[in-house]
Amino acid sequence: MVCPALQAGALSPILDRTGKTFPTDTLTPKAEDAMAPTELIRTTYTIRTDEPTRAANLIAREMSLGVKKTSYETAQTESFAAKPTILKTGKSKVVVEIMVPSQRIASAYGLVLSIAGEISCLNILKSIELTDFHPPDTLLARLPGPQFGAEGIARKRKNPKRPLFITVLKPSQGLTPSEYAHIAYESLVGGMDVVKSDELLQEPSEDYIKRLKATVEAARRAEEETGEPKWVMMHTVDRPSAMVERYLAGGKAGAGIAMLSPAASGFPMLEELARHRVVPIMAHMATSDWLWQPHGMSVRSWARFMRILGSDIILYPALAGTLKAKKKFMNDVLEICREPMSSMKTSLIAVGGGMHAGTLGIHADMFGPDFAYLCGGGVCGHPDGARAGGQSIRQSWDAWSQKIPLEKYRKGHKALDRALTAFATYV
Amino acid sequence: MVCPALQAGALSPILDRTGKTFPTDTLTPKAEDAMAPTELIRTTYTIRTDEPTRAANLIAREMSLGVKKTSYETAQTESFAAKPTILKTGKSKVVVEIMVPSQRIASAYGLVLSIAGEISCLNILKSIELTDFHPPDTLLARLPGPQFGAEGIARKRKNPKRPLFITVLKPSQGLTPSEYAHIAYESLVGGMDVVKSDELLQEPSEDYIKRLKATVEAARRAEEETGEPKWVMMHTVDRPSAMVERYLAGGKAGAGIAMLSPAASGFPMLEELARHRVVPIMAHMATSDWLWQPHGMSVRSWARFMRILGSDIILYPALAGTLKAKKKFMNDVLEICREPMSSMKTSLIAVGGGMHAGTLGIHADMFGPDFAYLCGGGVCGHPDGARAGGQSIRQSWDAWSQKIPLEKYRKGHKALDRALTAFATYV
């Protein structure tokens, strides 16, 4: 596709079709720009279209040179051309594989633009799903990945053989720092490991620090009383530069873990926070279901973005709760969390959304002890308060790990018994 | 819904249901937290569900207190409760209006989480579309809005009575700074006003500055030769903090305008750049079509986000091009760009995607002279080069403004004539 007139010498002055001199720099192309098999992202898309071949070519064009033909192609520009292959043609869907040159990609924003950008708008497509992608090791090395990883989190926890129990503190907004810290303390003493704010909680910077400090102090007391590590999870809601400041200040104030909703904040914000490497980060799923569609990206692709951009924990909606979840997709997230990926650390899977003592078992059956379990109303909304809520979760876990059915174990375990009654019709 | 035991005195020590003291701060609630009719976002959603009333209540709950009942509600937390109303029940769709308390929202991230967050994942919904939203003036005052606006851009252009013609420089990647600047110069001398890079172009920081400087120098030469203002549009692809640095450095290097793809970068990044107020910003639509779905946000809502978060120019796919566009949605964007919105400046609508000299007229028919028109291949891919490409666009405009049909005007106007032939089968 290179214009013959230009193909000969990309580095010496050449003429474009208008007959004018087409100046070039005397610089030699950089080594990293040379097309190498190690610099291709193998990307698969599932599309619906009436013209599969033309569509595949257009997708590849839109994600590389962006043009059919000009007078200005050089050997160097051609090294950025993406190559499509049709893998599978079904009745209504077609699977296309595109090899996307990645030699210049070095950020989350760049990656999203390159494999999930303007292609969403292509007229020739009824829909396009980013089904999966495999970045080369060279690209993975330029992205942060989990900074602590499931292994780092386990070490910080002194490797207990049970899930990380996280209270989502409710009601979500309007509590004073002391009120907030009080509920946090209760749930932690009850048996929870981490207390986090709901993703909706917003507050001016000074209130954020005040609440964080009060909660960290409460966690320290709970730690002393129980002998278990207790963490406070921060969530900074602000404009990007101020979010970084809050994240750093929160880490300094003792928040041992952080949360972010990358689909709402933009995936690049995850990369930004991860690169500061202050504390482990949990990627929350707010807004993500709008992406998880046949015209969007698969849960698998989303989870892959989350891991390679720096999520130590990846939260997906829980089964039997208030949020949409599918076992198949949950298994995809689990696989992405744990699969070998160059030298990147693994991520820990988390589930949440309308959870309580009665819904723990089905997840433990799937994951074993290595996952994070989020309970908001199921802890704070316990009829006897957040301490009993925390206790009910631990009792539910004790029952599961001893293989005793909940219906049997609830006798003699009041917090569990009261939770199972209260939350039987919770949602 | 307030726990009666707590309702009496939210500011004095009270007992929660466990009988323990529930500590409170002695601070009085802040004035901005008091629920006032001026602090409600009127938000409408179109949902598909089998249980409309329950669904409406759940959406309102998920976007405010996030819980059914705990021991810890106070008058203060209750001020954050969102209130749903069912506006319209159709055969398969229901329109719900929710009044969302906004007293603590002060950032793009917070706004997205509050009206477009976890609700996307609710199990009870087959789909939920954010159809429109009306932030109160108090909230608009806390968001940047266009910093220059359509009016500021017109002034900078010395108010010519024609569209802003923007070259999207192609091929997208791999050109050296001189090659890039050469094509830019040609298109600008030909008659284009602005040259911008394709959203896929990525490069290390030093190359970015080198290319920008070479292009600004080319634009200055074109300015001298034509006597018209010529701009270079920068697009910073990097991690967020580095994007801000590049944006500031680019402004200093003479880039007179900037681009961002907020659906790929995250809407908060638009707020971040706008708050720096360096140059006007155009919001690009890459990745946006994945949001513009019945389970997502309407084009209207997207455009509203773009304007209130700081887009001076809002780009929507053009008609008759390579990208999906609907006249109805284009009119929505136009309306949002121009409608009165507190004291916020207006935005300029832009269209692009597979445009050339032959596709200008249908847009001018809709918008008149006040819009921005993006041509990539339609300028750079002109058979006689980018200069002829720029000329063809200006000739097409001359024909439209003199009400002469293109088929007549092409005689005697070579650049136009050649474009109409070359791009007749362009896409």
Side-chain angles (χ1 to χ4, degrees):
Chain A
M1 298 287 285
V2 180
C3 167
L6 303 187
Q7 206 160 21
L11 297 173
S12 53
I14 41 182
L15 296 178
D16 69 17
R17 293 191 197 160
T18 61
K20 287 181 195 66
T21 303
F22 183 42
T24 56
D25 301 292
T26 49
L27 296 166
T28 47
K30 298 200 177 128
E32 70 262 31
D33 286 344
M35 186 71 153
T38 51
E39 274 299 358
L40 289 171
I41 312 174
R42 183 160 57 81
T43 312
T44 50
Y45 300 93
T46 306
I47 62 175
R48 286 191 311 124
T49 179
D50 293 330
E51 302 172 75
T53 308
R54 204 164 145 252
N57 284 317
L58 262 177
I59 298 168
R61 182 176 118 187
E62 273 310 322
M63 64 192 355
S64 56
L65 301 186
V67 74
K68 204 171 173 181
K69 198 170 185 173
T70 73
S71 309
Y72 310 110
E73 280 79 13
T74 64
Q76 184 74 347
T77 63
E78 283 294 317
S79 78
F80 287 90
K83 309 273 184 302
T85 316
I86 290 182
L87 290 186
K88 213 170 109 189
T89 309
K91 219 169 177 176
S92 62
K93 288 181 204 168
V94 178
V95 179
V96 178
E97 179 181 89
I98 301 192
M99 300 307 275
V100 184
S102 63
Q103 62 267 44
R104 282 274 166 131
I105 301 174
S107 68
Y109 184 36
L111 179 59
V112 172
L113 286 169
S114 297
I115 65 172
E118 202 166 273
I119 51 169
S120 80
C121 298
L122 276 174
N123 208 3
I124 198 170
L125 302 169
K126 287 172 194 149
S127 69
I128 178 165
E129 180 204 63
L130 172 63
T131 307
D132 203 355
F133 62 102
H134 293 86
D137 287 358
T138 44
L139 174 55
L140 289 176
R142 295 195 292 274
L143 297 170
Q147 297 292 298
F148 299 84
E151 44 282 45
I153 291 173
R155 259 197 314 278
K156 273 177 177 253
R157 293 179 67 203
K158 307 179 191 165
N159 300 302
K161 290 235 171 310
R162 61 167 181 79
L164 184 68
F165 292 127
I166 304 179
T167 316
V168 189
L169 210 136
K170 314 264 180 167
S172 298
Q173 305 191 84
L175 295 166
T176 66
S178 311
E179 287 165 354
Y180 189 98
H182 168 73
I183 307 173
Y185 168 79
E186 290 291 310
S187 78
L188 294 173
V189 163
M192 302 300 283
D193 299 303
V194 182
V195 63
K196 83 167 195 72
S197 52
D198 189 271
E199 82 283 355
L200 288 178
L201 179 59
Q202 299 179 50
E203 57 210 332
S205 201
E206 62 276 17
D207 292 8
Y208 161 78
I209 291 294
K210 209 180 287 172
R211 180 181 53 78
L212 216 51
K213 284 189 170 165
T215 315
V216 167
E217 192 273 331
R220 292 290 163 272
R221 275 194 294 135
E223 216 160 37
E224 272 170 40
E225 288 176 39
T226 61
E228 294 174 346
K230 302 289 182 186
W231 295 348
V232 175
M233 188 185 280
M234 60 176 154
H235 181 220
T236 70
V237 180
D238 210 326
R239 74 184 233 205
S241 55
M243 279 173 73
V244 173
E245 282 167 34
R246 287 199 193 202
Y247 175 67
L248 298 175
K252 226 171 143 183
I257 187 164
M259 175 172 93
L260 183 74
S261 299
S265 72
F267 292 4
M269 205 57 214
L270 172 57
E271 178 194 5
E272 178 74 38
L273 295 187
R275 288 201 189 274
H276 286 282
R277 209 185 186 282
V278 172
V279 292
I281 298 171
M282 180 178 82
H284 190 280
M285 72 289 203
T287 325
S288 293
D289 199 66
W290 281 351
L291 292 175
W292 300 335
Q293 297 188 69
H295 188 51
M297 64 177 72
S298 65
V299 171
R300 191 177 189 83
S301 293
W302 168 82
R304 200 180 291 282
F305 274 119
M306 294 303 101
R307 182 165 164 204
I308 68 179
L309 299 180
S311 304
D312 301 279
I313 305 178
I314 302 178
L315 176 62
Y316 178 77
L319 302 169
T322 44
L323 308 181
K324 272 182 232 173
K326 280 190 182 169
K327 263 198 176 172
K328 183 200 164 317
F329 297 151
M330 197 176 267
N331 273 319
D332 281 349
V333 178
L334 188 65
E335 220 174 289
I336 295 290
C337 281
R338 296 182 181 171
E339 78 175 27
M341 209 179 268
S342 187
S343 60
M344 271 187 182
K345 295 196 174 74
T346 62
S347 303
L348 186 69
I349 192 169
V351 292
M355 293 293 96
H356 50 78
T359 47
L360 176 59
I362 44 169
H363 298 99
D365 289 345
M366 281 188 80
F367 306 134
D370 293 331
F371 68 106
Y373 191 64
L374 274 69
C375 290
V379 167
C380 302
H382 191 287
D384 301 320
R387 182 186 295 234
Q391 289 165 347
S392 73
I393 302 298
R394 290 294 280 267
Q395 289 170 2
S396 176
W397 176 254
D398 292 342
W400 186 87
S401 55
Q402 294 167 45
K403 297 189 173 126
I404 302 168
L406 284 185
E407 279 311 313
K408 194 173 165 191
Y409 202 76
R410 68 190 291 179
K411 286 159 203 153
H413 293 96
K414 192 185 162 198
L416 175 63
D417 181 58
R418 295 265 290 166
L420 294 179
T421 303
F423 301 129
T425 56
Y426 176 64
V427 174
Chain B
M1 299 283 287
V2 180
C3 166
L6 304 186
Q7 205 162 22
L11 297 173
S12 51
I14 40 178
L15 296 179
D16 68 17
R17 293 190 198 161
T18 62
K20 287 181 197 66
T21 303
F22 182 43
T24 57
D25 299 301
T26 51
L27 297 165
T28 47
K30 295 195 180 134
E32 68 263 31
D33 285 346
M35 185 73 153
T38 50
E39 274 299 358
L40 289 171
I41 312 173
R42 183 160 56 82
T43 311
T44 50
Y45 300 94
T46 305
I47 62 175
R48 288 192 308 123
T49 178
D50 294 329
E51 303 172 74
T53 308
R54 206 165 142 251
N57 283 316
L58 262 177
I59 299 166
R61 183 176 117 186
E62 274 311 320
M63 67 192 352
S64 57
L65 300 187
V67 74
K68 204 171 174 181
K69 198 170 186 172
T70 71
S71 309
Y72 310 110
E73 280 78 13
T74 64
Q76 184 74 350
T77 63
E78 282 296 316
S79 77
F80 286 90
K83 309 271 184 303
T85 315
I86 291 182
L87 289 185
K88 212 169 110 188
T89 310
K91 221 170 177 176
S92 63
K93 288 183 207 165
V94 178
V95 179
V96 177
E97 179 181 271
I98 301 193
M99 301 305 278
V100 183
S102 63
Q103 64 266 43
R104 283 273 167 130
I105 301 174
S107 69
Y109 183 36
L111 179 59
V112 172
L113 285 170
S114 297
I115 65 173
E118 203 165 272
I119 51 170
S120 79
C121 299
L122 277 174
N123 206 4
I124 199 169
L125 303 169
K126 286 172 195 150
S127 69
I128 179 165
E129 180 203 65
L130 172 63
T131 307
D132 203 356
F133 63 100
H134 293 86
D137 287 359
T138 45
L139 173 55
L140 289 176
R142 295 194 292 274
L143 297 170
Q147 297 292 297
F148 300 83
E151 43 285 42
I153 291 172
R155 259 198 315 276
K156 272 174 178 258
R157 293 180 66 203
K158 306 180 191 163
N159 301 304
K161 290 236 171 311
R162 62 167 179 80
L164 183 69
F165 292 126
I166 304 179
T167 316
V168 189
L169 209 134
K170 314 264 181 174
S172 298
Q173 305 189 84
L175 295 166
T176 65
S178 312
E179 287 165 354
Y180 189 98
H182 168 73
I183 307 172
Y185 167 81
E186 289 292 310
S187 77
L188 293 173
V189 164
M192 302 300 282
D193 300 302
V194 182
V195 62
K196 83 166 194 74
S197 53
D198 188 271
E199 83 284 355
L200 288 178
L201 179 59
Q202 299 178 52
E203 57 210 333
S205 201
E206 63 276 18
D207 292 9
Y208 161 78
I209 290 293
K210 208 180 289 173
R211 180 181 54 78
L212 217 51
K213 283 187 172 166
T215 316
V216 167
E217 192 273 330
R220 291 290 162 272
R221 274 195 295 136
E223 214 161 36
E224 271 170 40
E225 287 177 39
T226 61
E228 293 176 348
K230 302 287 181 187
W231 296 348
V232 175
M233 189 185 281
M234 60 175 155
H235 181 220
T236 71
V237 180
D238 210 324
R239 73 184 233 204
S241 56
M243 278 172 73
V244 173
E245 282 167 34
R246 287 199 193 200
Y247 175 68
L248 298 174
K252 225 169 142 182
I257 187 164
M259 175 173 90
L260 183 74
S261 300
S265 72
F267 291 5
M269 205 57 214
L270 173 57
E271 179 194 4
E272 179 74 38
L273 295 187
R275 288 200 189 276
H276 285 281
R277 208 184 187 284
V278 172
V279 293
I281 298 171
M282 180 179 80
H284 190 279
M285 72 290 203
T287 327
S288 293
D289 200 65
W290 281 351
L291 291 176
W292 300 334
Q293 298 188 67
H295 188 50
M297 65 177 70
S298 65
V299 171
R300 191 177 188 83
S301 294
W302 168 82
R304 200 180 291 282
F305 274 118
M306 295 302 100
R307 181 165 166 207
I308 67 178
L309 299 180
S311 304
D312 301 281
I313 305 178
I314 301 177
L315 176 62
Y316 178 77
L319 300 168
T322 45
L323 308 182
K324 273 182 232 175
K326 280 191 180 166
K327 263 198 176 171
K328 184 201 163 318
F329 297 151
M330 195 176 268
N331 273 320
D332 281 349
V333 178
L334 188 65
E335 219 175 289
I336 295 291
C337 281
R338 296 182 180 173
E339 80 175 24
M341 210 180 269
S342 187
S343 60
M344 272 186 181
K345 296 195 172 76
T346 62
S347 304
L348 187 68
I349 193 170
V351 292
M355 294 294 94
H356 50 78
T359 46
L360 177 60
I362 44 170
H363 297 99
D365 289 344
M366 279 187 81
F367 307 135
D370 293 330
F371 68 107
Y373 191 63
L374 274 69
C375 290
V379 168
C380 302
H382 191 286
D384 302 319
R387 182 186 295 236
Q391 288 166 347
S392 73
I393 301 297
R394 289 294 282 265
Q395 289 169 0
S396 175
W397 176 253
D398 292 342
W400 186 88
S401 54
Q402 292 167 46
K403 297 191 174 125
I404 302 169
L406 286 184
E407 280 311 312
K408 193 171 166 193
Y409 202 76
R410 69 190 289 179
K411 288 161 203 151
H413 293 96
K414 191 185 163 199
L416 175 64
D417 181 59
R418 296 265 289 163
L420 294 178
T421 303
F423 301 129
T425 56
Y426 175 64
V427 174

